[in-house]
């Protein structure tokens, strides 16, 4: 099973945004191997959440550790059977450790998104 | 002849100008394209109303025929389709109704169905035909409703009829759609620095579309008027200056059409319409008997 975390430009911290994070870190839960993939969505004029979700879904991910998630992406993850866990730390390592200890709770607060703000 | 009334920000006086211009014209069509919050009908109180539904085409996927080839998902540039569990999942709010997925599907698993997004209400109020576009709550874009309003306007548009398009505020896609077919643009501006900033945004927009335009300065006081100064400096046409007037504000908040209530406003708007006609190169068609 794989775990995904949205990461910021530093590639060491959790990104505050999921849909428009520049990268995702994909962690193989069995081997601990970490890979960074580009998120194709940050520049999308609309539907960034879906596009980002698609790139994560295609990585055979079963869990996502993220501080937040928008409505459309959450719907896609739900359909794909991917669980969302809320991170409390900016550090990727701390977030992973907390997840492995079972300390992270499922993300409940799905925000309605920022749709239409760039005009359509 | 179609005149679009627009402004960079809300509350500047678009509807005041649009409603009163339509009311002083001999024969006019008032088209409310501010489909997220149309309010011109509150002044006109139209009768003999008819309602049209506005729908857009969205894909309907037959999962029995779908082979899971992913072609539709990869094609959709609006990210309205996602490939989940070997099947396409559809997100209606992101769909731009381009029809691409339906055309592309090798298994003919996608057909189109109609999705209601709003309505257009047509009615009459004395010399004015009113067309009101109303977007359904929760829809992402009013563009398709605006298109339907303008189609109705074009059907009513004959020589001698003045079409007044009351635009949404701002300078985004819904405004571009509203002014697309206008022969002349009237930009309503407030006498503040913020008002000037928003005026500059719509000036940029109408220039991009090569539309002839003039400015109506609203809420004018004896104090400095940055919007007026800018127009003078850039040599832009000032069509009218409407004073900041408590009685006018009272009429508007009572839902009254100012030109029907006070000869002062009647005179101002007749002269404004004459000036627009002259600027746009059309013969004057105001109703001086009113």
């Amino acid at each position: 099973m794989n775990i995904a975390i949205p990461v910021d430009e530093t590639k060491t911290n959790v990104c505050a945004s999921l849909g428009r994070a520049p990268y995702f870190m994909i962690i193989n839960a069995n081997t601990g191997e970490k890979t960074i993939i580009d998120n194709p969505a940050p520049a999308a004029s609309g539907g960034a959440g879906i596009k980002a979700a698609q790139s994560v879904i295609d990585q055979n991910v079963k869990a996502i550790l993220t501080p937040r998630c928008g409505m459309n992406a959450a719907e896609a993850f739900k359909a794909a059977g991917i669980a969302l866990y809320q991170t409390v730390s900016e550090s990727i390592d701390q977030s992973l450790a907390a997840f492995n200890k079972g300390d992270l709770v499922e993300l409940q607060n799905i925000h309605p998104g920022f749709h239409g703000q760039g005009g359509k | 002849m179609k005149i679009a009334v627009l402004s960079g920000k809300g509350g500047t006086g678009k509807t005041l100008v649009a409603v009163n211009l339509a009311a002083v014209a001999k024969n006019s069509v008032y088209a409310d394209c501010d489909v997220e919050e149309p309010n011109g009908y509150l002044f006109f109180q139209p009768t003999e109303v008819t309602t049209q539904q506005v729908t857009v085409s969205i894909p309907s996927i037959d999962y029995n025929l779908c082979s899971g080839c992913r072609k539709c998902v990869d094609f959709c540039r609006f990210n309205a389709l996602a490939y989940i569990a070997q099947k396409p999942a559809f997100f209606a709010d992101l769909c731009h109704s381009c029809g691409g997925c339906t055309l592309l599907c090798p298994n003919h698993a996608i057909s189109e169905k109609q999705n209601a997004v709003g309505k257009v209400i047509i009615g009459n109020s004395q010399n004015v035909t009113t067309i009101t576009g109303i977007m359904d709550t929760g829809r992402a874009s009013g563009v398709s409703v605006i298109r339907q309003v303008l189609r109705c306007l074009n059907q009513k548009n004959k020589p001698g009829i003045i079409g007044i398009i009351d635009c949404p505020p701002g300078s985004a896609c819904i405004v571009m759609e509203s002014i697309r077919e206008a022969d002349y643009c009237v930009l309503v501006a407030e006498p503040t620095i913020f008002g000037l900033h928003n005026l500059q945004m719509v000036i940029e927009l109408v220039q991009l579309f090569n539309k002839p335009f003039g400015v109506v300065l609203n809420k004018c006081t004896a104090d400095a008027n940055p919007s007026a100064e800018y127009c003078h400096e850039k040599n832009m046409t000032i069509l009218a200056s409407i004073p900041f007037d408590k009685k006018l504000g009272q009429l508007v908040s009572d839902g009254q059409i100012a030109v029907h209530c006070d000869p002062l406003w009647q005179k101002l708007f007749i002269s404004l319409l004459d000036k627009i006609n002259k600027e746009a190169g059309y013969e004057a068609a105001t109703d001086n008997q009113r």
Side-chain angles (χ1 to χ4, degrees):
Chain A
M1 122 169 181
N2 285 342
I3 300 162
I5 303 179
V7 295
D8 66 14
E9 291 77 7
T10 66
K11 299 189 185 179
T12 53
N13 283 340
V14 179
C15 184
S17 168
L18 177 69
R20 295 189 188 271
Y23 309 104
F24 290 112
M25 181 180 278
I26 309 293
I27 302 112
N28 184 319
N30 302 322
T31 65
E33 185 196 353
K34 294 171 182 168
T35 39
I36 298 260
I37 62 165
D38 284 335
N39 176 9
S45 63
I50 302 288
K51 199 171 185 174
Q54 183 74 69
S55 71
V56 172
I57 290 167
D58 289 343
Q59 295 292 324
N60 198 23
V61 161
K62 288 284 166 254
I64 298 167
L65 318 187
T66 180
R68 59 203 296 190
C69 181
M71 213 164 53
N72 283 334
E75 202 180 310
F77 290 135
K78 195 179 164 196
I82 297 174
L84 292 159
Y85 293 91
Q86 186 160 23
T87 56
V88 287
S89 161
E90 269 188 24
S91 149
I92 289 172
D93 289 342
Q94 281 179 21
S95 299
L96 267 177
F99 174 70
N100 288 331
K101 269 170 53 189
D103 285 350
L104 295 189
V105 294
E106 283 206 36
L107 183 72
Q108 299 292 341
N109 186 18
I110 304 298
H111 69 79
F114 307 105
H115 314 131
Q117 303 218 342
K120 220 174 168 182
Chain B
M1 159 88 158
K2 283 174 275 185
I3 304 165
V5 181
L6 62 162
S7 73
K9 71 183 278 287
T12 304
K14 282 180 303 300
T15 297
L16 169 78
V17 171
V19 163
N20 284 283
L21 277 177
V24 292
K26 203 172 263 167
N27 206 339
S28 67
V29 181
Y30 167 85
D32 202 340
C33 286
D34 192 2
V35 300
E36 289 177 29
E37 52 253 316
N39 58 354
Y41 71 94
L42 297 173
F43 296 93
F44 287 117
Q45 303 281 337
T47 53
E48 304 153 67
V49 294
T50 53
T51 303
Q52 302 176 357
Q53 290 297 323
V54 181
T55 60
V56 294
S57 299
I58 58 167
S60 167
I61 304 166
D62 183 343
Y63 287 101
N64 291 321
L65 295 175
C66 176
S67 67
C69 72
R70 198 173 171 151
K71 280 189 177 148
C72 57
V73 175
D74 293 336
F75 176 80
C76 184
R77 58 177 294 190
F78 303 109
N79 305 313
L81 291 162
Y83 193 69
I84 298 167
Q86 276 74 55
K87 298 285 176 197
F90 176 60
F91 294 83
D93 281 351
L94 296 167
C95 180
H96 280 50
S97 305
C98 76
C101 53
T102 308
L103 288 172
L104 207 72
C105 178
N107 301 304
H108 306 289
I110 306 179
S111 56
E112 290 193 333
K113 63 179 179 188
Q114 294 303 306
N115 191 25
V117 290
K119 57 190 173 189
V120 170
I121 301 173
I122 302 172
N124 292 309
S125 173
Q126 298 182 34
N127 55 317
V128 185
T129 301
T130 61
I131 305 171
T132 304
I134 305 177
M135 183 172 85
D136 285 348
T137 307
R139 296 291 163 195
S141 166
V143 167
S144 45
V145 182
I146 291 170
R147 282 191 188 143
Q148 182 72 16
V149 170
L150 295 177
R151 268 196 294 272
C152 293
L153 172 61
N154 284 340
Q155 283 164 9
K156 311 263 176 204
N157 196 30
K158 295 186 197 99
I161 288 183
I162 305 252
I164 306 286
I165 303 165
D166 195 353
C167 297
S171 51
C173 289
I174 45 174
V175 182
M176 294 183 216
E177 202 61 46
S178 304
I179 67 165
R180 192 185 288 272
E181 290 181 40
D183 301 298
Y184 191 83
C185 290
V186 174
L187 316 186
V188 186
E190 278 181 0
T192 59
I193 293 168
F194 183 33
L196 170 61
H197 175 78
N198 291 292
L199 172 65
Q200 286 168 325
M201 285 168 63
V202 274
I203 288 174
E204 198 181 330
L205 178 73
V206 294
Q207 285 178 333
L208 194 70
F209 278 77
N210 285 318
K211 299 287 182 188
F213 71 95
V215 178
V216 169
L217 302 166
N218 192 19
K219 306 184 193 177
C220 297
T221 65
D223 294 333
N225 186 334
S227 297
E229 284 161 26
Y230 180 80
C231 291
H232 290 308
E233 188 190 313
K234 299 282 178 187
N235 219 2
M236 285 165 176
T237 309
I238 295 176
L239 299 163
S241 297
I242 304 173
F244 187 70
D245 184 280
K246 201 173 175 182
K247 274 183 276 178
L248 180 59
Q250 187 68 51
L251 286 175
V252 172
S253 54
D254 288 343
Q256 299 291 324
I257 297 175
V259 297
H260 291 171
C261 301
D262 190 330
L264 176 77
W265 305 121
Q266 189 189 29
K267 208 174 140 216
L268 189 148
F269 279 96
I270 286 173
S271 132
L272 172 59
L273 185 56
D274 282 344
K275 188 138 191 211
I276 293 168
N277 277 319
K278 223 167 277 166
E279 288 282 325
Y282 284 80
E283 285 299 305
T286 49
D287 184 355
N288 292 310
Q289 269 69 59
R290 244 168 215 294

